[in-house]
Amino acid sequence: MSPLPSGERRRRLSPADRRAQLLAVGASLFAARPYEEVLMEEVAEKAGVSRALLYRHFASKHELFAAVYQQAADELLVKSRIDPADTLVEQLVEGMDAHLDYFIANRAAVLAANRVLAGDPVIQTIIDNELDTLRARLLAGLPLAGVPLADERARQAASQILRSWLVFVRVLVVDWLTEETCTRTELRDACIGAALGALRPLLPADPAPEWPR
């Protein structure tokens, strides 16, 4: 049996701490290079563990990437926490900024999830779950009381609009990461303007009268 790497002999971590360390190493590599160029052997080397130990935590590169992306989605939901006291524009700005910060810093990982692994059921479920949570949060904060349409119809319509808008934003931002045809601020404001334009007809009052139509 070959000796363990010196890094593993030096650092005896609990299973939870070791998993967190491997996720951090994986996240840094997936952020820096295309998915196909990241090797599990390199993850083990940088973490200072044997390949056998790495595979005990993550059976494949796909499983490691999925865990990294799930962790990122969970963290983005925390950073995109919507405060009912905020205006709709403030909520949209906060959410867009948090996601753009991550997408720009982790360009290769985002492109892997949305291009290389597009349609992968595990990755798609992570993305869909995050979008559903964001949609529910935004929907809960909309001023729908008193809408001329029946309350439930208005809520369903707003929910559909938000779902389509979130998909639109995802596609637009991924395209922008490939070719930056405008500034980050212009991209963010275009996305926010699209949401406001789609929601205004459903609301009893303009949610952002200061925002240009």
Side-chain angles (χ1 to χ4, degrees), residues 189-212:
D189 289 354
C191 290
I192 293 172
L196 295 174
L199 289 169
R200 273 171 169 145
L202 293 176
L203 303 178
D206 192 335
E210 75 286 357
W211 196 276

Side-chain angles (χ1 to χ4, degrees), residues 30 33-36 65 69 106-118 120 123 174:
F30 287 125
R33 296 209 302 277
Y35 178 82
E36 57 272 15
F65 181 84
Y69 214 69
N106 298 271
R107 184 185 306 261
V110 174
L111 291 177
N114 290 276
R115 293 280 174 82
V116 179
L117 298 173
D120 178 272
I123 302 303
V174 169

